[in-house]
């Protein structure tokens, strides 16, 4: 069942990345539906409930850090879905690789264009972090 959940998660994150790049939004219909289905599926497995911690951290950042850091409500909901789907350890890996990719992109843009980047969609970096963490999970 894990391959099915991870496969669907990859498809959903790919679509969310596309819409975040194209329209600067992540559709609620995808995140709410996936969250409710995963919540019912993982309700009695506390290991996966701990996966909601990175989403809670992002929610705290959204409340207390200026909006110029690209954290949106859709990104937070997407991380909640990822946390319920793959658990805390792998979600923290996704969080790390997402942040690393985001930081490298911001620095590279600043060095190449010599100006500050105001908005950078986060969903593609979440997808990159998810793919890297899954590759490392199955390679090790």
């Amino acid at each position: 069942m894990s391959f099915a959940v991870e496969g669907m998660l990859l498809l959903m994150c790919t679509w969310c990345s596309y819409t975040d790049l194209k329209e600067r939004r992540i559709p609620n219909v995808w995140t709410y539906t996936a969250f409710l289905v995963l919540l019912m599926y993982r309700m009695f497995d506390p290991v996966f409930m701990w996966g909601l911690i990175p989403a809670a951290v992002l929610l705290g950042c959204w409340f207390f850090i200026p909006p110029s850091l690209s954290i949106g409500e859709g990104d937070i909901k997407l991380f909640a879905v990822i946390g319920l789907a793959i658990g805390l350890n792998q979600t923290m890996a996704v969080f790390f690789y997402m942040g690393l990719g985001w930081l490298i992109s911001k620095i590279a843009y600043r060095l190449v264009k010599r100006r500050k980047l105001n908005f950078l969609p986060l969903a593609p970096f979440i997808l990159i972090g998810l793919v890297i963490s899954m590759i490392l999970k199955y390679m090790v």
Side-chain angles (χ1 to χ4, degrees):
M1 190 64 167
S2 179
F3 286 122
V5 170
E6 290 174 354
M8 294 302 290
L9 184 63
L10 278 173
L11 287 174
M12 187 186 83
C13 284
T14 302
W15 180 254
C16 290
S17 295
Y18 172 75
T19 58
D20 198 15
L21 285 169
K22 187 121 174 123
E23 302 170 10
R24 291 182 59 177
R25 69 179 198 85
I26 296 174
N28 287 335
V29 71
W30 285 88
T31 54
Y32 287 153
T33 305
F35 185 80
L36 290 175
V37 168
L38 283 167
L39 190 62
M40 289 187 298
Y41 180 65
R42 305 283 196 199
M43 188 178 303
F44 299 109
D45 197 353
V47 172
F48 290 98
M49 290 298 186
W50 285 103
L52 293 173
I53 290 174
V57 169
L58 281 177
L59 183 63
C61 290
W62 184 75
F63 276 120
F64 297 112
I65 295 177
S68 64
L69 291 178
S70 302
I71 299 171
E73 299 93 351
D75 303 318
I76 297 167
K77 291 180 275 189
L78 189 58
F79 251 102
V81 169
I82 290 171
L84 279 175
I86 60 178
L88 178 63
N89 291 338
Q90 199 172 354
T91 304
M92 292 304 292
V94 172
F95 195 77
F96 173 76
Y97 294 120
M98 178 265 315
L100 186 63
W102 180 82
L103 183 64
I104 290 169
S105 295
K106 288 278 261 197
I107 291 171
Y109 187 86
R110 183 81 184 236
L111 291 174
V112 170
K113 296 288 187 174
R114 304 231 187 264
R115 64 176 187 237
K116 188 176 180 180
L117 183 62
N118 291 331
F119 176 77
L120 189 62
L122 202 57
F125 296 104
I126 295 172
L127 175 64
I128 290 168
L130 182 65
V131 168
I132 292 171
S133 72
M134 285 184 179
I135 289 171
L136 292 177
K137 174 185 172 184
Y138 290 112
M139 284 183 67
V140 174

